[in-house]
Amino acid sequence: MAEHKTPHINPIPPQARAFQGLRAGVVTRTIAGAIDYSVIVGLTFGSYATVAIFKFLLDPRDYQLPQWRFVVFLILGFSYFLVYLTVAFATSGRTFGARLLGLRIVGRKGSKLAWGTALLRAAFCVAVPVGLFWCAVSRENRSVQDLVLRTSVIHDWPVHQAPVSISDAESRSEL
Amino acid sequence: MTEERAADPPPAAEVRDIVPVVHRSGPRLPAAVEGPLDVALGAAVTLARPVVAVTAVVGRSLEPWARVGWELVARPPLVPAAWTPAAVGARLADTGRQVRFAAREDATVASNAALDVVVPSLLDPLLDRVDLTGLVLARVDLERLVGAVLDTMDLTGVVLDRVDLKRIVETAIESIDITEIVRTQVDIASLAEEVIEEVNLPEIIRESSTGVAAEVVDTGRLSAVAGDELVNRWIDRILQRRQSRRTDAPGRAQSEDAMDAADAALRDSEAGHRG
């Protein structure tokens, strides 16, 4: 007698299934990193704009744009970046750029990073961003951060919803 | 089936078993009679041999005289040729021959008529007293017989000509529950998954649900992966690497886990329904 199971529709396109779970290369990771940098830059200038608006609301008559030194932008940006990366690594394993590019950061055994490891990796990424490019040379597609902390960045296209089963589709069509 | 038989005849030992050898033996006389009889036969043969030899010698010496004497009797001189005993005998022989041929035809007709009457009346009681089926089973190599018959006839042609196949198929379909058979014997899930893969249903669903944006994202991701491979190839060539990269990572992709979890959940719910 044939074994019965309900078929599911895999939401990942067939041409992308082969490399799901494998370590990503330098191009994908650089694009993801660039998107994250853009987010942080936007956040930093957004903070500046917010402060400027509040200042205008408080004293519109003698209003002057806030005069921030470049190092303030740097410190604010790096702080945002550190928090952003730590939270992303320790929760979903995906930054915004990683989500867009279908990447996920995993630990030594393929699990999510612990908060400590996430903080260390985030600090490493902020301090030595150029370490990312080692993954082009590494035979295992690992960046310097990955080598030191034994982490991996894998292709794992996000699944927004549970795989649709045929029986689910049938029950919905009856409604 | 007939081809198998033709290609694989029964072994010789089997044939010997099927066709029994019949040993014929005549009736035996009592021993008290056999002894004197043998003595009498021996004496008769011993006495008869010289008599036969003498008779043969005498016969051979008298043969020319007997032939001349017969010629004189059959065609005596001074008698007209038509009235000689030989001529008369020849005429009588012609008449007798004609009668014999006519009588043979009459006898054939009469014997056929008699057989038509006698044979049925004899055959029925005879067959009533004989276990013909048992006899055939014991004496006839049925396998060989059927094989020979099947070799000579076109069984498929006979079935096509004589059998109402449409009626048989309709009756069979009415009597069996095809839906149930398909449900129990066919792995419908695998079949459905193959069809889904064939028509690329995920692509259709994505196109219908998430629109152009998702397609752009997918295309962008695939292009980035192609870029990865290109860069990796260049660098590996520059570094003169011969082995490919080891990009296996620990753990699994969440999409694979999601598929497994969905399967497990459905199995649990089906088990719950059955329970």
Side-chain angles (χ1 to χ4, degrees), chain B residues 17-208:
Chain B
D17 289 345
I18 292 167
V19 183
V21 177
V22 178
H23 298 282
R24 297 181 187 283
S25 60
R28 288 179 67 87
L29 291 168
V33 178
E34 270 187 351
L37 185 64
D38 290 345
V39 171
L41 277 172
V45 168
T46 308
L47 288 175
R49 270 178 187 157
V51 172
V52 169
V54 169
T55 306
V57 170
V58 172
R60 272 199 297 276
S61 60
L62 291 179
E63 188 186 354
W65 297 104
R67 190 171 292 141
V68 171
W70 172 250
E71 281 296 321
L72 282 174
V73 171
R75 293 180 184 84
L78 304 176
V79 176
W83 294 100
T84 58
V88 172
R91 281 201 297 274
L92 290 174
D94 283 342
T95 307
R97 195 178 297 118
Q98 286 169 8
V99 170
R100 182 160 57 85
F101 280 122
R104 185 190 288 173
E105 289 174 7
D106 290 344
T108 306
V109 172
S111 63
N112 282 341
L115 283 174
D116 287 345
V117 174
V118 173
V119 169
S121 60
L122 271 181
L123 204 58
D124 280 342
L126 193 67
L127 290 176
D128 286 344
R129 284 163 177 76
V130 176
D131 177 12
L132 199 59
T133 310
L135 207 61
V136 168
L137 287 173
R139 296 286 183 156
V140 179
D141 182 359
L142 290 172
E143 214 174 316
R144 209 168 111 206
L145 187 70
V146 173
V149 171
L150 289 175
D151 283 344
T152 57
M153 64 189 289
D154 177 12
L155 199 60
T156 312
V158 170
V159 169
L160 288 173
D161 285 345
R162 302 295 187 100
V163 180
D164 186 356
L165 292 171
K166 190 183 170 196
R167 213 170 103 207
I168 289 177
V169 171
E170 281 174 356
T171 311
I173 288 173
E174 279 173 14
S175 64
I176 59 178
D177 185 356
I178 293 178
T179 311
E180 183 60 27
I181 290 172
V182 169
R183 194 172 291 155
T184 54
Q185 300 292 328
V186 179
D187 188 357
I188 299 169
S190 301
L191 198 65
E193 278 177 352
E194 275 180 36
V195 173
I196 289 165
E197 288 295 314
E198 195 65 33
V199 301
N200 200 1
L201 196 57
E203 186 63 31
I204 294 167
I205 290 172
R206 247 198 318 280
E207 280 179 5
S208 62

Side-chain angles (χ1 to χ4, degrees), chain A:
Chain A
M1 188 177 144
E3 187 194 346
H4 276 275
K5 58 174 185 173
T6 307
H8 290 104
I9 301 167
N10 192 335
I12 306 294
Q15 64 267 40
R17 286 175 202 165
F19 54 77
Q20 294 300 305
L22 300 183
R23 287 197 193 91
V26 68
V27 175
T28 311
R29 292 178 63 173
T30 305
I31 294 171
I35 290 168
D36 290 334
Y37 267 107
S38 307
V39 169
I40 295 305
V41 169
L43 207 59
T44 308
F45 281 103
S47 302
Y48 174 77
T50 308
V51 171
I53 289 166
F54 267 107
K55 196 178 171 192
F56 174 75
L57 290 174
L58 290 175
D59 188 10
R61 286 176 61 191
D62 298 327
Y63 179 72
Q64 281 186 333
L65 275 174
Q67 298 295 315
W68 286 9
R69 291 165 65 184
F70 183 66
V71 71
V72 176
F73 280 102
L74 276 183
I75 291 168
L76 193 64
F78 283 144
S79 306
Y80 280 152
F81 209 12
L82 191 70
V83 174
Y84 168 76
L85 290 182
T86 306
V87 172
F89 290 164
T91 53
S92 64
R94 303 177 197 270
T95 61
F96 181 70
R99 179 173 289 277
L100 215 55
L101 268 294
L103 302 177
R104 190 161 67 90
I105 295 92
V106 294
R108 190 179 302 181
K109 293 176 182 173
S111 55
K112 267 193 286 189
L113 300 192
W115 280 97
T117 315
L119 180 64
L120 272 177
R121 194 176 195 280
F124 219 148
C125 289
V126 171
V128 195
V130 76
L132 165 69
F133 294 104
W134 184 253
C135 72
V137 180
S138 162
R139 195 191 284 277
E140 296 182 345
N141 281 4
R142 284 178 188 272
S143 67
V144 174
Q145 293 89 330
D146 292 333
L147 285 171
V148 173
L149 298 168
R150 308 299 301 162
T151 55
S152 301
V153 179
I154 60 170
H155 289 287
D156 187 1
W157 290 23
V159 182
H160 297 292
Q161 57 192 18
V164 180
S165 77
I166 296 295
S167 57
D168 290 345
E170 283 172 356
S171 62
R172 272 202 293 275
S173 68
E174 285 168 5
L175 294 176

Side-chain angles (χ1 to χ4, degrees), chain B residues 209-259:
Chain B
S209 58
T210 54
V212 182
E215 196 180 331
V216 169
V217 170
D218 283 357
T219 309
R221 285 171 181 167
L222 289 171
S223 303
V225 172
D228 287 342
E229 288 171 358
L230 189 67
V231 171
N232 287 351
R233 251 200 319 276
W234 281 351
I235 298 222
D236 289 345
R237 195 173 296 165
I238 290 165
L239 297 176
Q240 295 185 338
R241 281 180 181 154
R242 290 181 183 173
Q243 291 177 337
S244 57
R245 295 189 174 219
R246 298 190 302 271
T247 54
D248 290 339
R252 304 175 72 205
Q254 285 179 336
S255 55
E256 293 170 322
D257 288 340
M259 288 288 288

